[in-house]
Amino acid sequence: MEKYGGAECDITDYKHASVVFLPVPYDGTSTWIKGADKGPEALLSASANMEFYDIETGSEVFRRGFFTLAPVLEASSPEAMAAEVERRISVLLDDGKFPVLIGGEHSVSIGAIQAFAKYYDEFTVLQLDAHSDMRDEYEGSSYNHACVMARAKEVATNCTQVGIRSTGAEELHNIDPQRIFHAHRIKKSSLWMQDAAAQLCRNVYLTIDLDVFDPAYMPSTGTPEPDGLAYRDVLDFVKEVLRDHDIVGLDVVELCPCAENKAPDFLAAKLIYQILSLIYEKK
């Protein structure tokens, strides 16, 4: 598997890297379009074709040191995969690295969130997603991609959900109506970013399911939903979050690549780079 940013970003070893990428090519519980296991490879391949000078921050964040680990290949069950992700992320936190998890379907986030819960006394899981993912169990597993935020709710101080436009009735008991920002609601308010950011703990784990974007921007997901966010909406919200909070971990999941259209792969790769640029501009 390629390294994030390709040869141009490959300027350091693990010891001296600030940011460490962990690919998790897992697609064991997705329920419609399969292919998220190909997402990390497609994202990493696209990342080598970016310009590494970020115009908005006037920086080259890769000079902080990027390192890409060997992927997590445990796929015997979603529970075993989550346990291995938790173990790998815990090592990164102990080593003082900023972890970036690259999925794979959204269930890969569960282990990472559990690792952060053991490392931070207080933290918010901030979910950008089309789906609320609050089922207690789905298709026989509580570690299904549809259960990610139910598991996060069990271990995080709190959770805030943004961009949601698909929820099952069986999820409603797990959802705090004050902490969910539906897509139709935020498109009618100019204050939603401040309202959402005001709910967060100082430390924030940011999980981005790429189907938060409208399919016009991001058709390459396993469960696309209409009426999503624009790329600039997401970046502007990240800026708002960073005004008074620290993003301490990041995952980008649910890229289901299409061989005929590479643009979504590039969007996912650049999204990570621009978020890292904003995070390290603050640092």
Side-chain angles (χ1 to χ4, degrees):
M1 193 167 286
E2 297 187 41
K3 296 184 178 182
Y4 183 89
E8 190 169 344
C9 289
D10 186 22
I11 61 172
T12 191
D13 56 12
Y14 174 84
K15 179 180 179 181
H16 297 98
S18 297
V19 179
V20 176
F21 300 87
L22 179 61
V24 189
Y26 181 78
D27 193 22
T29 76
S30 60
T31 48
W32 186 22
I33 303 171
K34 292 287 188 178
D37 55 324
K38 305 296 192 298
E41 184 177 6
L43 189 157
L44 293 172
S45 178
S47 73
N49 297 286
M50 297 186 297
E51 299 286 4
F52 297 107
Y53 173 75
D54 181 69
I55 295 172
E56 290 189 53
T57 60
S59 68
E60 293 180 303
V61 69
F62 78 93
R63 298 195 183 280
R64 299 276 187 159
F66 284 3
F67 190 86
T68 304
L69 293 169
V72 172
L73 298 178
E74 172 59 66
S76 60
S77 71
E79 292 81 5
M81 177 276 298
E84 179 60 13
V85 171
E86 179 182 347
R87 186 188 71 79
R88 299 277 294 272
I89 294 293
S90 294
V91 171
L92 299 184
L93 293 174
D94 288 340
D95 288 347
K97 309 301 183 183
F98 184 96
V100 179
L101 190 69
I102 301 174
E105 58 161 83
H106 208 165
S107 62
V108 307
S109 305
I110 295 174
I113 292 166
Q114 290 172 337
F116 274 83
K118 293 177 180 177
Y119 194 84
Y120 287 95
D121 292 334
E122 293 186 341
F123 78 111
T124 295
V125 175
L126 174 58
Q127 174 201 17
L128 275 60
D129 203 327
H131 308 87
S132 45
D133 292 345
M134 278 286 193
R135 286 175 168 85
D136 292 314
E137 182 181 276
Y138 194 63
E139 295 194 337
S141 175
S142 60
Y143 279 63
N144 188 283
H145 71 97
C147 309
V148 174
M149 293 307 294
R151 303 289 77 75
K153 185 180 177 183
E154 293 171 344
V155 297
T157 307
N158 51 52
C159 301
T160 293
Q161 304 177 276
V162 169
I164 308 301
R165 49 200 191 276
S166 180
T167 295
E170 63 270 35
E171 301 177 64
L172 296 177
H173 71 285
N174 274 332
I175 293 173
D176 182 343
Q178 302 303 312
R179 302 192 68 91
I180 188 168
F181 292 79
H182 293 100
H184 73 274
R185 171 184 164 194
I186 65 181
K187 291 184 177 186
K188 296 177 181 178
S189 169
S190 60
L191 299 176
W192 75 268
M193 293 187 187
Q194 296 94 317
D195 292 344
Q199 296 185 347
L200 310 177
C201 295
R202 178 74 186 189
N203 296 314
V204 176
Y205 180 88
L206 177 59
T207 178
I208 301 179
D209 185 325
L210 289 166
D211 64 28
V212 72
F213 293 104
D214 193 89
Y217 299 95
M218 177 50 68
S220 298
T221 67
T223 48
E225 290 279 350
D227 199 28
L229 303 188
Y231 188 83
R232 181 52 50 182
D233 295 332
V234 171
L235 282 186
D236 285 347
F237 180 48
V238 169
K239 291 178 185 178
E240 183 63 36
V241 170
L242 287 169
R243 290 182 191 277
D244 297 307
H245 307 85
D246 296 323
I247 295 175
V248 295
L250 168 67
D251 70 56
V252 172
V253 300
E254 295 284 357
L255 176 64
C256 185
C258 171
E260 291 75 28
N261 184 6
K262 299 292 188 182
D265 307 350
F266 190 85
L267 183 155
K270 185 149 188 173
L271 177 68
I272 291 173
Y273 196 79
Q274 290 198 276
I275 290 175
L276 290 172
S277 297
L278 292 170
I279 291 169
Y280 279 89
E281 179 188 39
K282 179 180 179 180
K283 290 179 183 295

